């Protein structure tokens, strides 16, 4: 990692810290939706809508920061340009290809879950939509976190 641009370092740190916040709020949103679904609760504006909307917005902010990072980081697009797809080893491929690609899919799923929940009147169906789509998104994100370089 030879790149030492201030902009890159700033965006990289932001992406790294924001990851804690995004994972925490997504976890909360999914747990809350599961409880609401199982217990057949009413979907409230004050709590349920707010948690799901916060999770949506923060995931989208992380998506934008991630996209910036993809073009600024030596581990993103530059890695593919330097070594070619076939020239990347597993950890390099995780950062340059799998993590960005899977996380974009995950955030699309979360966005679908949000849009679908609005179409339903019944709380149960709203909670079910959030549970399934946010839950799948969260699992996909967790499956492609570069744990080794994040927490060390
Ligand atoms: C919710 C979605 C996301 C989460 C939770 C997340 C989380 C993370 C974490 C924890 C790291 C390691 C940071 C570190 O080393 O301290 C990382 C690195 C990275 N992420 Fe994401 N990310 C997400 C979405 C994205 C997206 C959508 C892209 C690109 C389109 C992206 C591009 C990158 C790149 C290129 C790196 C490597 C940066 C470097 O080491 O120079 N991320 N991400």
């Amino acid at each position: 990692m030879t790149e030492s641009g201030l902009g890159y370092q700033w965006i990289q740190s932001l992406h790294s810290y924001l990851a804690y916040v995004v994972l925490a709020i997504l976890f909360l949103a999914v747990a809350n939706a599961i409880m609401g679904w199982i217990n057949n609760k009413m979907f409230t504006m004050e709590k349920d809508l707010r948690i799901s909307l916060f999770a949506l917005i923060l995931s989208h902010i992380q998506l934008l920061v991630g996209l910036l990072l993809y073009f600024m980081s030596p581990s993103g697009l530059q890695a593919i340009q330097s070594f070619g797809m076939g020239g990347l080893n597993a950890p390099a491929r995780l950062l340059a290809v799998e993590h960005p690609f899977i996380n974009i899919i995950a955030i699309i799923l979360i966005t679908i879950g949000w849009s679908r929940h609005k179409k339903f009147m019944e709380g149960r169906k709203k909670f079910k939509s959030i549970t399934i789509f946010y839950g799948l998104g969260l699992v996909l994100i967790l499956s492609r976190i570069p744990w080794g370089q994040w927490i060390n």
Side-chain angles (χ1 to χ4, degrees):
M1 310 293 129
T2 49
E3 174 70 74
S4 59
L6 263 183
Y8 159 63
Q9 278 174 7
W10 198 86
I11 295 290
Q12 204 259 347
S13 303
L14 179 64
H15 192 70
S16 183
Y17 288 120
L18 200 57
Y20 290 102
V21 184
V22 172
L23 289 178
I25 185 82
L26 271 177
F27 187 80
L28 260 176
V30 174
N32 181 67
I34 292 174
M35 295 310 287
W37 185 13
I38 292 178
N39 296 321
N40 214 351
K41 288 195 191 145
M42 245 180 65
F43 191 92
T44 65
M45 294 279 170
E46 298 75 30
K47 180 162 145 260
D48 307 307
L49 184 114
R50 214 174 263 186
I51 296 180
S52 333
L53 184 57
F54 262 138
L56 177 81
I57 293 171
L58 284 166
S59 324
H60 280 211
I61 294 174
Q62 181 72 329
L63 169 69
L64 292 181
V65 178
L67 277 170
L68 276 178
L69 196 53
Y70 182 73
F71 293 103
M72 297 169 87
S73 166
S75 313
L77 182 63
Q78 288 170 41
I80 300 177
Q81 287 171 336
S82 308
F83 305 108
M85 281 281 188
L88 300 174
N89 60 14
R93 195 170 56 238
L94 175 66
L95 288 182
V97 185
E98 295 169 13
H99 173 81
F101 180 72
I102 295 292
N103 282 337
I104 289 171
I105 307 269
I107 293 165
I108 291 175
L109 285 173
I110 291 168
T111 311
I112 294 175
W114 171 259
S115 308
R116 276 183 93 248
H117 108 275
K118 290 193 288 185
K119 298 205 180 90
F120 301 121
M121 292 300 290
E122 253 177 273
R124 236 179 94 81
K125 289 187 175 170
K126 286 178 181 286
F127 284 124
K128 183 179 169 189
S129 180
I130 303 277
T131 300
I132 292 172
F133 287 87
Y134 280 43
L136 244 154
L138 179 59
V139 168
L140 286 182
I141 291 169
L142 289 174
S143 79
R144 290 298 180 278
I145 296 266
W147 298 104
Q149 77 158 54
W150 186 31
I151 305 167
N152 59 18

